[in-house]
Amino acid sequence: MISYSFPLHRRALWALRRSLNSTVDVLRRPIRRADVLLVTGDAAPSKAREVEARLQFLLTHLDDHLDIRSVRTASPFAYLRSTAVAAADANAIPAVARRYVRWIADLDYETNPTDGWALMDLAAAISGGVPRREAATARKTFVSHVQGLKADGPRPVYVFGTGPSLGSAVEHSFDDGTVVVCNTIVRDPELWHHLAPAFLTAGDAIYHFGHTPHARAFRADALRRLKESDGRTLFVYPATFDVVVRSEFEAVESLLVPIPWGEHTDITVDLTKHFVLPAVGNVLNALLLPLACTLSQDVRLWGFDGRAPTDTGFWANSGRHTYPELMQSIRDSHPAFFADRIPKGDEIRYVKEVHGDWLETRLSEAEERSFQFRMLHQSWTPTLQKRYARLPRS
Protein backbone atom coordinates (compact mmCIF):
# COMPACT_ATOMS: atom_id res chain seq x y z
CA MET A 1 0.00 0.00 0.00
CA ILE A 2 1.42 3.38 -1.04
CA SER A 3 1.46 6.02 1.68
CA TYR A 4 0.01 9.48 1.13
CA SER A 5 -2.56 8.42 -1.45
CA PHE A 6 -4.97 11.08 -2.64
CA PRO A 7 -8.45 10.97 -1.09
CA LEU A 8 -10.74 8.28 -2.47
CA HIS A 9 -13.29 10.75 -3.84
CA ARG A 10 -10.57 12.57 -5.77
CA ARG A 11 -9.25 9.34 -7.28
CA ALA A 12 -12.80 8.30 -8.14
CA LEU A 13 -13.40 11.57 -9.99
CA TRP A 14 -10.19 11.13 -11.96
CA ALA A 15 -11.17 7.58 -12.86
CA LEU A 16 -14.59 8.80 -14.02
CA ARG A 17 -12.97 11.51 -16.12
CA ARG A 18 -10.62 9.00 -17.76
CA SER A 19 -13.51 6.65 -18.45
CA LEU A 20 -15.67 9.36 -20.02
CA ASN A 21 -12.80 10.57 -22.19
CA SER A 22 -12.09 7.04 -23.38
CA THR A 23 -15.74 6.40 -24.16
CA VAL A 24 -16.14 9.61 -26.13
CA ASP A 25 -12.89 8.89 -27.97
CA VAL A 26 -14.22 5.54 -29.12
CA LEU A 27 -17.57 7.00 -30.19
CA ARG A 28 -15.99 9.79 -32.25
CA ARG A 29 -13.51 7.52 -34.02
CA PRO A 30 -15.66 7.01 -37.17
CA ILE A 31 -15.95 10.78 -37.77
CA ARG A 32 -12.53 11.85 -36.56
CA ARG A 33 -10.26 13.63 -39.05
CA ALA A 34 -6.47 13.42 -39.10
CA ASP A 35 -5.92 17.00 -38.05
CA VAL A 36 -5.27 19.28 -35.12
CA LEU A 37 -7.73 22.14 -34.89
CA LEU A 38 -6.03 25.36 -33.78
CA VAL A 39 -8.63 27.81 -32.45
CA THR A 40 -7.09 31.27 -32.56
CA GLY A 41 -9.90 33.42 -31.15
CA ASP A 42 -8.65 36.97 -30.63
CA ALA A 43 -4.98 36.01 -30.59
CA ALA A 44 -2.69 38.25 -32.63
CA PRO A 45 -1.46 36.66 -35.88
CA SER A 46 2.09 36.43 -34.50
CA LYS A 47 0.84 34.60 -31.41
CA ALA A 48 -1.24 32.20 -33.48
CA ARG A 49 1.82 31.44 -35.64
CA GLU A 50 3.91 30.81 -32.53
CA VAL A 51 1.39 28.33 -31.11
CA GLU A 52 1.19 26.64 -34.51
CA ALA A 53 4.99 26.28 -34.49
CA ARG A 54 4.79 24.57 -31.09
CA LEU A 55 2.21 22.18 -32.45
CA GLN A 56 4.45 21.47 -35.44
CA PHE A 57 7.31 20.68 -33.03
CA LEU A 58 5.05 18.20 -31.28
CA LEU A 59 3.74 16.58 -34.45
CA THR A 60 7.24 15.89 -35.77
CA HIS A 61 7.64 13.42 -32.88
CA LEU A 62 4.47 11.46 -33.68
CA ASP A 63 4.23 8.45 -35.97
CA ASP A 64 0.92 9.52 -37.53
CA HIS A 65 0.75 12.46 -39.93
CA LEU A 66 -1.65 15.16 -38.75
CA ASP A 67 -2.40 18.47 -40.45
CA ILE A 68 -2.97 21.70 -38.53
CA ARG A 69 -6.14 23.58 -39.40
CA SER A 70 -6.55 27.11 -38.02
CA VAL A 71 -9.96 28.65 -37.35
CA ARG A 72 -11.02 31.68 -35.32
CA THR A 73 -13.93 29.90 -33.65
CA ALA A 74 -15.24 26.34 -33.60
CA SER A 75 -18.29 24.43 -32.44
CA PRO A 76 -18.31 21.48 -30.02
CA PHE A 77 -18.99 19.23 -33.01
CA ALA A 78 -15.76 20.48 -34.59
CA TYR A 79 -13.94 19.49 -31.41
CA LEU A 80 -15.31 15.98 -31.73
CA ARG A 81 -14.28 15.68 -35.37
CA SER A 82 -10.64 16.68 -34.86
CA THR A 83 -7.97 14.36 -33.51
CA ALA A 84 -6.89 17.17 -31.19
CA VAL A 85 -7.81 20.78 -30.47
CA ALA A 86 -5.54 23.59 -29.24
CA ALA A 87 -6.36 27.11 -28.12
CA ALA A 88 -4.05 30.00 -29.01
CA ASP A 89 -6.47 32.24 -27.11
CA ALA A 90 -7.77 30.54 -23.98
CA ASN A 91 -11.09 32.40 -24.18
CA ALA A 92 -11.83 30.88 -27.59
CA ILE A 93 -12.63 27.49 -26.03
CA PRO A 94 -14.95 26.91 -23.04
CA ALA A 95 -13.08 26.41 -19.78
CA VAL A 96 -14.81 23.09 -19.06
CA ALA A 97 -13.53 21.68 -22.36
CA ARG A 98 -10.00 22.93 -21.76
CA ARG A 99 -9.99 21.50 -18.26
CA TYR A 100 -11.60 18.10 -18.67
CA VAL A 101 -11.25 16.91 -22.27
CA ARG A 102 -7.84 15.34 -22.72
CA TRP A 103 -7.47 16.02 -26.45
CA ILE A 104 -8.19 19.75 -25.99
CA ALA A 105 -5.23 21.87 -24.83
CA ASP A 106 -4.89 25.44 -23.64
CA LEU A 107 -1.67 26.64 -25.29
CA ASP A 108 -2.21 30.32 -24.52
CA TYR A 109 1.25 31.01 -23.11
CA GLU A 110 0.27 34.53 -22.04
CA THR A 111 -2.38 33.33 -19.58
CA ASN A 112 -1.77 29.63 -18.88
CA PRO A 113 1.17 28.98 -16.49
CA THR A 114 1.18 25.31 -17.49
CA ASP A 115 0.98 25.69 -21.27
CA GLY A 116 4.17 23.64 -21.69
CA TRP A 117 2.64 20.74 -19.79
CA ALA A 118 -0.59 21.12 -21.74
CA LEU A 119 1.36 20.58 -24.97
CA MET A 120 2.94 17.39 -23.59
CA ASP A 121 -0.43 16.15 -22.30
CA LEU A 122 -1.83 16.72 -25.78
CA ALA A 123 0.94 14.55 -27.21
CA ALA A 124 0.06 11.76 -24.80
CA ALA A 125 -3.62 12.08 -25.72
CA ILE A 126 -2.89 11.87 -29.45
CA SER A 127 -0.42 8.99 -29.18
CA GLY A 128 -2.26 7.05 -26.50
CA GLY A 129 0.67 7.28 -24.10
CA VAL A 130 3.50 4.81 -23.63
CA PRO A 131 2.63 1.56 -25.44
CA ARG A 132 1.98 -1.32 -23.05
CA ARG A 133 4.93 -3.36 -24.27
CA GLU A 134 7.38 -0.47 -23.91
CA ALA A 135 5.99 0.33 -20.44
CA ALA A 136 6.49 -3.26 -19.30
CA THR A 137 10.00 -3.33 -20.73
CA ALA A 138 10.90 -0.06 -19.00
CA ARG A 139 9.73 -1.37 -15.65
CA LYS A 140 11.64 -4.60 -16.07
CA THR A 141 14.77 -2.66 -17.06
CA PHE A 142 14.45 -0.39 -14.06
CA VAL A 143 13.90 -3.18 -11.53
CA SER A 144 16.82 -5.18 -12.93
CA HIS A 145 19.11 -2.13 -12.76
CA VAL A 146 18.15 -1.41 -9.15
CA GLN A 147 18.64 -5.05 -8.14
CA GLY A 148 22.11 -5.01 -9.69
CA LEU A 149 23.04 -1.82 -7.84
CA LYS A 150 21.85 -3.26 -4.52
CA ALA A 151 23.40 -6.69 -4.99
CA ASP A 152 26.50 -5.92 -2.88
CA GLY A 153 24.54 -4.70 0.11
CA PRO A 154 23.55 -1.28 1.48
CA ARG A 155 25.34 1.75 0.02
CA PRO A 156 24.65 5.48 0.28
CA VAL A 157 22.98 7.31 -2.59
CA TYR A 158 24.39 10.63 -3.74
CA VAL A 159 21.80 12.94 -5.29
CA PHE A 160 22.95 15.94 -7.32
CA GLY A 161 21.19 19.19 -8.16
CA THR A 162 22.56 22.02 -10.32
CA GLY A 163 23.27 24.74 -7.74
CA PRO A 164 26.57 26.69 -7.74
CA SER A 165 28.18 24.18 -5.35
CA LEU A 166 28.01 21.55 -8.05
CA GLY A 167 31.23 22.97 -9.48
CA SER A 168 33.24 21.65 -6.51
CA ALA A 169 31.84 18.11 -6.70
CA VAL A 170 34.66 17.08 -9.03
CA GLU A 171 37.05 17.50 -6.09
CA HIS A 172 35.44 14.61 -4.20
CA SER A 173 34.98 10.91 -4.73
CA PHE A 174 31.53 9.33 -4.53
CA ASP A 175 32.66 5.83 -5.44
CA ASP A 176 31.38 4.37 -2.16
CA GLY A 177 27.78 4.92 -3.24
CA THR A 178 25.31 5.13 -6.11
CA VAL A 179 24.94 8.45 -7.95
CA VAL A 180 21.71 9.99 -9.25
CA VAL A 181 21.93 13.22 -11.27
CA CYS A 182 19.38 15.50 -12.86
CA ASN A 183 18.72 18.07 -15.51
CA THR A 184 21.48 20.07 -17.17
CA ILE A 185 24.40 18.40 -15.39
CA VAL A 186 24.68 16.67 -18.77
CA ARG A 187 26.34 19.80 -20.18
CA ASP A 188 29.63 18.98 -18.43
CA PRO A 189 31.16 15.72 -19.71
CA GLU A 190 34.06 15.91 -17.21
CA LEU A 191 31.80 15.98 -14.17
CA TRP A 192 29.43 13.44 -15.73
CA HIS A 193 32.15 10.84 -16.12
CA HIS A 194 33.63 11.68 -12.73
CA LEU A 195 30.27 11.00 -11.07
CA ALA A 196 29.49 7.99 -13.28
CA PRO A 197 25.76 8.21 -12.51
CA ALA A 198 23.48 5.20 -12.36
CA PHE A 199 20.48 7.39 -13.18
CA LEU A 200 19.80 10.63 -15.02
CA THR A 201 16.43 12.22 -14.48
CA ALA A 202 14.56 15.32 -15.62
CA GLY A 203 10.93 16.30 -15.30
CA ASP A 204 10.19 19.81 -16.52
CA ALA A 205 8.08 20.32 -19.64
CA ILE A 206 9.58 23.66 -20.62
CA TYR A 207 13.18 23.39 -19.43
CA HIS A 208 13.82 19.89 -20.76
CA PHE A 209 11.18 18.55 -23.16
CA GLY A 210 9.82 21.58 -24.98
CA HIS A 211 10.56 23.39 -28.23
CA THR A 212 12.97 26.10 -27.01
CA PRO A 213 16.73 26.22 -27.69
CA HIS A 214 17.30 25.56 -23.98
CA ALA A 215 15.26 22.33 -23.99
CA ARG A 216 16.81 21.19 -27.26
CA ALA A 217 20.32 21.79 -25.89
CA PHE A 218 19.54 19.71 -22.82
CA ARG A 219 18.24 16.79 -24.87
CA ALA A 220 21.22 16.90 -27.24
CA ASP A 221 23.69 16.81 -24.36
CA ALA A 222 21.69 14.15 -22.51
CA LEU A 223 21.80 11.92 -25.57
CA ARG A 224 25.57 12.42 -25.89
CA ARG A 225 26.19 11.55 -22.24
CA LEU A 226 23.97 8.47 -22.38
CA LYS A 227 25.78 7.22 -25.47
CA GLU A 228 29.11 7.69 -23.71
CA SER A 229 27.99 5.75 -20.64
CA ASP A 230 27.96 2.31 -22.27
CA GLY A 231 24.67 1.29 -20.68
CA ARG A 232 25.63 2.29 -17.13
CA THR A 233 23.09 5.14 -16.86
CA LEU A 234 19.32 4.88 -17.22
CA PHE A 235 17.25 7.94 -18.15
CA VAL A 236 14.21 8.16 -15.86
CA TYR A 237 11.49 10.69 -16.69
CA PRO A 238 7.71 11.16 -16.35
CA ALA A 239 5.88 9.12 -18.98
CA THR A 240 4.06 12.28 -20.10
CA PHE A 241 7.19 13.24 -22.06
CA ASP A 242 7.74 9.88 -23.74
CA VAL A 243 6.59 11.02 -27.19
CA VAL A 244 9.45 13.52 -27.38
CA VAL A 245 12.06 11.36 -25.66
CA ARG A 246 11.42 8.12 -27.53
CA SER A 247 11.57 9.94 -30.87
CA GLU A 248 14.87 11.72 -30.18
CA PHE A 249 16.62 9.06 -28.06
CA GLU A 250 16.10 6.12 -30.37
CA ALA A 251 19.85 5.37 -30.30
CA VAL A 252 19.67 4.61 -26.55
CA GLU A 253 16.15 3.20 -26.41
CA SER A 254 17.17 0.41 -24.03
CA LEU A 255 18.12 3.03 -21.42
CA LEU A 256 14.77 4.86 -21.38
CA VAL A 257 12.55 4.50 -18.31
CA PRO A 258 9.29 6.48 -18.55
CA ILE A 259 7.35 6.25 -15.27
CA PRO A 260 3.71 7.38 -15.01
CA TRP A 261 2.46 9.85 -12.45
CA GLY A 262 0.68 8.20 -9.56
CA GLU A 263 -2.23 9.21 -7.35
CA HIS A 264 -0.03 9.71 -4.29
CA THR A 265 2.54 12.12 -2.83
CA ASP A 266 5.00 9.66 -1.24
CA ILE A 267 8.54 10.89 -1.91
CA THR A 268 9.98 7.68 -0.39
CA VAL A 269 7.98 5.34 -2.62
CA ASP A 270 9.82 2.14 -3.59
CA LEU A 271 9.57 2.41 -7.36
CA THR A 272 10.41 -1.27 -7.85
CA LYS A 273 7.15 -2.13 -6.07
CA HIS A 274 4.97 0.85 -7.00
CA PHE A 275 6.08 2.03 -10.44
CA VAL A 276 4.37 5.43 -10.23
CA LEU A 277 5.86 8.81 -9.40
CA PRO A 278 4.50 11.05 -6.64
CA ALA A 279 2.33 13.82 -8.06
CA VAL A 280 4.31 16.67 -6.50
CA GLY A 281 6.31 19.63 -7.76
CA ASN A 282 10.06 19.98 -8.33
CA VAL A 283 12.58 17.41 -9.56
CA LEU A 284 13.93 16.79 -6.04
CA ASN A 285 10.55 15.78 -4.64
CA ALA A 286 9.08 14.06 -7.69
CA LEU A 287 12.08 12.17 -9.07
CA LEU A 288 15.36 12.42 -7.19
CA LEU A 289 14.12 11.49 -3.72
CA PRO A 290 11.92 8.60 -4.95
CA LEU A 291 14.86 7.20 -6.91
CA ALA A 292 17.22 7.65 -3.97
CA CYS A 293 14.83 6.10 -1.45
CA THR A 294 14.26 3.17 -3.78
CA LEU A 295 18.00 2.50 -3.68
CA SER A 296 18.94 3.24 -0.07
CA GLN A 297 17.92 4.68 3.28
CA ASP A 298 21.14 6.72 3.37
CA VAL A 299 20.53 9.72 1.08
CA ARG A 300 23.16 12.41 0.62
CA LEU A 301 22.55 15.64 -1.30
CA TRP A 302 24.85 17.94 -3.28
CA GLY A 303 24.11 20.96 -5.48
CA PHE A 304 20.98 22.14 -3.68
CA ASP A 305 22.21 25.61 -2.67
CA GLY A 306 18.75 27.10 -2.35
CA ARG A 307 17.82 30.72 -3.04
CA ALA A 308 20.30 33.24 -1.69
CA PRO A 309 19.00 36.75 -0.80
CA THR A 310 20.76 38.15 -3.88
CA ASP A 311 19.47 35.50 -6.31
CA THR A 312 17.04 36.26 -9.11
CA GLY A 313 14.62 33.83 -10.73
CA PHE A 314 14.02 30.59 -8.88
CA TRP A 315 17.59 30.39 -7.52
CA ALA A 316 21.18 30.46 -8.76
CA ASN A 317 22.64 27.60 -10.79
CA SER A 318 26.12 26.54 -11.74
CA GLY A 319 26.83 28.28 -15.03
CA ARG A 320 29.03 25.42 -16.18
CA HIS A 321 26.22 22.92 -15.68
CA THR A 322 23.28 24.89 -17.06
CA TYR A 323 22.57 27.02 -20.14
CA PRO A 324 22.39 30.62 -18.88
CA GLU A 325 22.83 31.93 -22.41
CA LEU A 326 19.62 30.12 -23.43
CA MET A 327 17.43 30.88 -20.41
CA GLN A 328 15.82 33.88 -22.08
CA SER A 329 14.35 31.56 -24.72
CA ILE A 330 12.27 29.94 -21.98
CA ARG A 331 11.25 33.22 -20.39
CA ASP A 332 10.13 34.61 -23.75
CA SER A 333 8.19 31.46 -24.63
CA HIS A 334 6.39 30.96 -21.31
CA PRO A 335 5.74 34.35 -19.66
CA ALA A 336 2.67 33.16 -17.71
CA PHE A 337 4.71 30.39 -16.09
CA PHE A 338 7.27 32.78 -14.64
CA ALA A 339 4.66 35.36 -13.64
CA ASP A 340 2.84 32.64 -11.70
CA ARG A 341 5.81 30.79 -10.17
CA ILE A 342 8.00 33.81 -9.36
CA PRO A 343 5.52 36.65 -8.80
CA LYS A 344 7.01 40.09 -8.39
CA GLY A 345 7.33 40.90 -4.71
CA ASP A 346 7.04 37.24 -3.64
CA GLU A 347 9.83 35.61 -5.63
CA ILE A 348 10.58 33.08 -2.89
CA ARG A 349 7.06 31.63 -2.91
CA TYR A 350 7.91 28.63 -5.08
CA VAL A 351 10.89 27.72 -2.90
CA LYS A 352 8.69 27.78 0.19
CA GLU A 353 6.08 25.63 -1.52
CA VAL A 354 8.39 22.84 -2.71
CA HIS A 355 11.27 22.95 -0.21
CA GLY A 356 9.62 24.48 2.85
CA ASP A 357 7.33 23.07 5.52
CA TRP A 358 5.85 20.41 3.23
CA LEU A 359 9.25 18.87 2.47
CA GLU A 360 10.38 19.25 6.09
CA THR A 361 7.37 17.25 7.27
CA ARG A 362 7.94 14.51 4.70
CA LEU A 363 11.65 14.18 5.45
CA SER A 364 11.01 14.12 9.20
CA GLU A 365 8.40 11.39 8.81
CA ALA A 366 10.81 9.39 6.64
CA GLU A 367 13.55 9.79 9.24
CA GLU A 368 11.23 8.24 11.79
CA ARG A 369 11.22 5.20 9.46
CA SER A 370 15.04 5.00 9.52
CA PHE A 371 15.77 7.07 6.41
CA GLN A 372 18.68 9.49 6.73
CA PHE A 373 19.09 12.64 4.66
CA ARG A 374 22.35 14.59 4.70
CA MET A 375 23.11 17.88 2.96
CA LEU A 376 26.82 17.76 2.06
CA HIS A 377 27.41 21.52 1.85
CA GLN A 378 25.72 24.59 3.23
CA SER A 379 22.36 25.56 1.76
CA TRP A 380 20.08 28.59 1.89
CA THR A 381 17.12 26.19 2.18
CA PRO A 382 16.35 25.73 5.91
CA THR A 383 14.91 22.25 5.37
CA LEU A 384 18.23 21.08 3.90
CA GLN A 385 20.58 23.25 5.95
CA LYS A 386 19.37 21.67 9.20
CA ARG A 387 20.60 18.36 7.74
CA TYR A 388 24.01 19.72 6.82
CA ALA A 389 26.90 17.29 7.39
CA ARG A 390 30.14 18.10 5.60
CA LEU A 391 31.66 15.40 3.37
CA PRO A 392 35.36 14.83 4.19
CA ARG A 393 37.62 16.17 1.44
CA SER A 394 39.04 13.33 -0.67
Side-chain angles (χ1 to χ4, degrees), residues 40-314:
T40 61
D42 293 328
S46 59
K47 182 178 178 182
R49 288 193 296 271
E50 172 61 23
V51 173
E52 182 173 352
R54 299 181 189 196
L55 287 171
Q56 289 286 7
F57 157 79
L58 186 68
L59 296 182
T60 60
H61 293 84
L62 297 174
D63 292 332
D64 297 332
H65 175 75
L66 298 175
D67 296 318
I68 298 176
R69 187 164 58 92
S70 293
V71 296
R72 185 173 181 276
T73 61
S75 67
F77 183 67
Y79 303 162
L80 291 172
R81 291 204 63 195
S82 296
T83 296
V85 181
D89 170 14
N91 294 323
I93 292 178
V96 66
R98 288 184 274 115
R99 189 173 297 124
Y100 297 114
V101 181
R102 67 186 179 194
W103 67 86
I104 297 179
D106 177 4
L107 302 186
D108 187 340
Y109 52 84
E110 293 180 339
T111 62
N112 181 12
T114 60
D115 71 293
W117 284 262
L119 184 66
M120 295 296 109
D121 288 339
L122 190 66
I126 295 171
S127 67
V130 183
R132 184 172 299 179
R133 178 178 296 179
E134 280 80 354
T137 298
R139 182 169 189 171
K140 184 177 179 181
T141 297
F142 177 79
V143 171
S144 177
H145 197 56
V146 170
Q147 289 174 341
L149 292 167
K150 297 173 73 172
D152 294 331
R155 305 175 73 205
V157 174
Y158 294 100
V159 176
F160 288 86
T162 58
S165 294
L166 183 61
S168 61
V170 74
E171 301 170 6
H172 298 270
S173 172
F174 304 94
D175 292 343
D176 64 322
T178 303
V179 171
V180 181
V181 302
C182 73
N183 301 351
T184 53
I185 287 178
V186 296
R187 184 173 194 176
D188 183 359
E190 179 187 2
L191 180 61
W192 173 273
H193 293 296
H194 173 73
L195 296 177
F199 292 100
L200 163 68
T201 190
D204 193 281
I206 63 176
Y207 280 78
H208 309 124
F209 302 103
H211 69 290
T212 64
H214 184 286
R216 294 176 191 269
F218 160 75
R219 294 197 299 275
D221 280 337
L223 180 57
R224 292 187 190 99
R225 300 292 87 80
L226 290 170
K227 285 180 177 179
E228 295 165 2
S229 297
D230 298 323
R232 179 192 65 238
T233 308
L234 297 186
F235 184 20
V236 174
Y237 54 92
T240 304
F241 308 123
D242 191 63
V243 165
V244 172
V245 176
R246 197 163 296 275
S247 172
E248 296 186 15
F249 288 68
E250 186 177 2
V252 292
E253 186 176 11
S254 63
L255 306 178
L256 305 181
V257 181
I259 305 181
W261 294 111
E263 296 178 343
H264 72 94
T265 60
D266 184 3
I267 60 175
T268 66
V269 58
D270 184 342
L271 293 170
T272 63
K273 297 178 180 178
H274 305 287
F275 197 62
V276 285
L277 297 170
V280 294
N282 191 259
V283 68
L284 176 62
N285 302 339
L287 288 155
L288 290 172
L289 287 175
L291 282 169
C293 293
T294 296
L295 290 160
S296 175
Q297 290 192 314
D298 181 357
V299 180
R300 307 175 186 184
L301 300 103
W302 193 294
F304 300 93
D305 295 63
R307 193 178 197 278
T310 56
D311 285 349
T312 58
F314 287 99

Side-chain angles (χ1 to χ4, degrees), residues 304 375 377-389:
F304 300 93
M375 185 69 223
H377 57 73
Q378 301 220 31
S379 173
W380 289 100
T381 303
T383 299
L384 301 180
Q385 177 61 23
K386 70 180 292 186
R387 294 169 171 83
Y388 169 52

